[in-house]
Amino acid sequence: IANIGDLNGDGVTDIAVGAHYDDNGGANRGAIHIMNMSANGSVDSTVEINDGTTNGPTLGNTDHFGMSIANIGDLHGDGVTDIAVGAPYDDNGGSERGAIHIMFMNIDATIDSTVEINDGTTNGPSLANLDRFGFSLTNIGDLYNDVVTDIAVGAWGDDNGVVDRRAIHITVSSTHLTLPTTPHVPISDAPNSR
């Protein structure tokens, strides 16, 4: 679940909720639900985003799209909040390497465009089978002071020399979503770090 700000401009905060076991289009492909909220806590409307959504993600069976969601602000400057969504069991490039989908939103909760970041993305993460990149993700603000939001993405199964050591990938974005760099930060193998 993620706070996505006031997406539809009615003065009330809206939310995105993941349903990573959703079977629309195939087994466990996943989905998210954009919920436009009312001031009294009820839901004004809900839009489901899945494999069949126009301009949405391209998913395979068991991708588990929606396991993680982050508000990444207005990445491309059109005045509408954009979101990043994890699909940690995505098999692009190898078994369960994982991916995230950057979704450029419209004010009515439809998708303007989607960019997938995975092992094959230029300057993207270097992944191995079972890394599960996208298991978690968060907005970390403007890390490089270039007026563009950056994100940290968890790779829960990353081994980096030790079985299931885990790692965080810092994804540094640009306004056109080219990735100048994606540092790999292994989680310490010290006790209590898991």
Side-chain angles (χ1 to χ4, degrees):
I1 188 165
N3 173 339
I4 57 171
D6 181 13
L7 186 65
N8 62 356
D10 66 354
V12 180
T13 298
D14 303 312
I15 59 175
V17 180
H20 66 94
Y21 283 102
D22 189 284
D23 292 330
N24 194 327
N28 299 328
R29 289 188 179 203
I32 65 168
H33 300 267
I34 305 297
M35 302 176 79
N36 293 310
M37 304 301 294
S38 295
N40 67 4
S42 64
V43 179
D44 275 344
S45 64
T46 300
V47 175
E48 181 174 337
I49 297 171
N50 57 40
D51 187 52
T53 302
T54 301
N55 299 324
T58 300
L59 303 171
N61 290 342
T62 69
D63 277 1
H64 289 275
F65 171 79
M67 184 170 277
S68 56
I69 306 169
N71 173 338
I72 57 173
D74 181 13
L75 194 60
H76 68 321
D78 67 350
V80 181
T81 299
D82 302 311
I83 58 177
V85 181
Y89 293 87
D90 186 290
D91 292 326
N92 194 328
S95 179
E96 296 180 14
R97 290 189 177 201
I100 63 170
H101 298 265
I102 305 299
M103 300 169 65
F104 297 100
M105 303 298 295
N106 293 316
I107 196 167
D108 62 356
T110 60
I111 309 274
D112 183 57
S113 63
T114 299
V115 175
E116 181 173 335
I117 297 174
N118 57 38
D119 189 52
T121 303
T122 301
N123 295 324
S126 177
L127 303 171
N129 291 344
L130 305 178
D131 275 0
R132 298 179 187 121
F133 174 78
F135 197 85
S136 58
L137 59 95
T138 191
N139 174 333
I140 58 173
D142 183 9
L143 191 63
Y144 287 93
N145 207 24
D146 61 358
V147 194
V148 180
T149 300
D150 303 311
I151 56 178
V153 183
W156 182 80
D158 191 300
D159 291 334
N160 198 33
V162 178
V163 174
D164 291 337
R165 186 173 188 180
R166 296 161 180 72
I168 299 169
H169 296 261
I170 308 299
T171 303
V172 181
S173 303
S174 78
T175 54
H176 301 290
L177 208 63
T178 54
L179 300 179
T181 183
T182 301
H184 175 269
V185 182
I187 305 282
S188 170
D189 56 352
N192 303 322
S193 65
R194 296 174 191 222

